């Protein structure tokens, strides 16, 4: 049997842009993707700390070092520039894998620079 577990998250990311006239997805700085072991095309849940919205989308890569977090398409209606969000990725694993796995947690500063990164839940 497989179980869906937290794989990684970017915590307290600041929305830098909301682009309604785009096909869809969330654009995330490639540096942040690397730090959280996230991949282009990966499904993620977005939790908006400011308004409580929760929704799913997929990742596209933003320019490395630009610290961009942009919600595109219909998702742009669920955020405002400056909102704080949590970007959560999950993985399906066996119970044995889940017993050993440590998710990657990346906490961000207001400018989307990395404040702290670690493995495991605290």
């Amino acid at each position: 049997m497989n179980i869906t577990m937290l794989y990684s998250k970017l915590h307290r990311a600041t929305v830098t842009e909301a682009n309604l006239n785009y096909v869809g997805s969330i654009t995330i700085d490639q540096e942040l993707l690397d730090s959280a072991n996230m991949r282009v095309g990966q499904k993620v849940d977005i939790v908006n700390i400011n308004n409580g919205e929760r929704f799913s989308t997929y990742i596209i890569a933003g320019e490395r070092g630009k610290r961009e977090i942009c919600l595109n398409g219909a998702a742009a209606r669920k955020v405002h520039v400056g909102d704080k969000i949590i970007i959560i990725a999950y993985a399906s694993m066996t119970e044995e894998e889940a017993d050993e796995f440590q998710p990657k947690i990346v906490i961000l500063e207001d400018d989307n620079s990395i404040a702290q990164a670690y493995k495991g839940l605290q």
Side-chain angles (χ1 to χ4, degrees), residues 54-69:
R54 297 178 73 96
F55 55 95
S56 298
T57 190
Y58 63 93
I59 298 170
I60 61 174
E63 184 179 332
R64 182 178 298 279
K66 194 172 176 187
R67 298 185 179 151
E68 174 182 31
I69 302 288

Side-chain angles (χ1 to χ4, degrees), residues 6-7 9 101-105 118-122:
L6 173 65
Y7 175 74
K9 74 174 179 173
F101 184 76
Q102 296 291 311
K104 184 75 179 269
I105 310 299
Y118 57 89
K119 283 192 171 187
L121 297 174
Q122 296 180 352

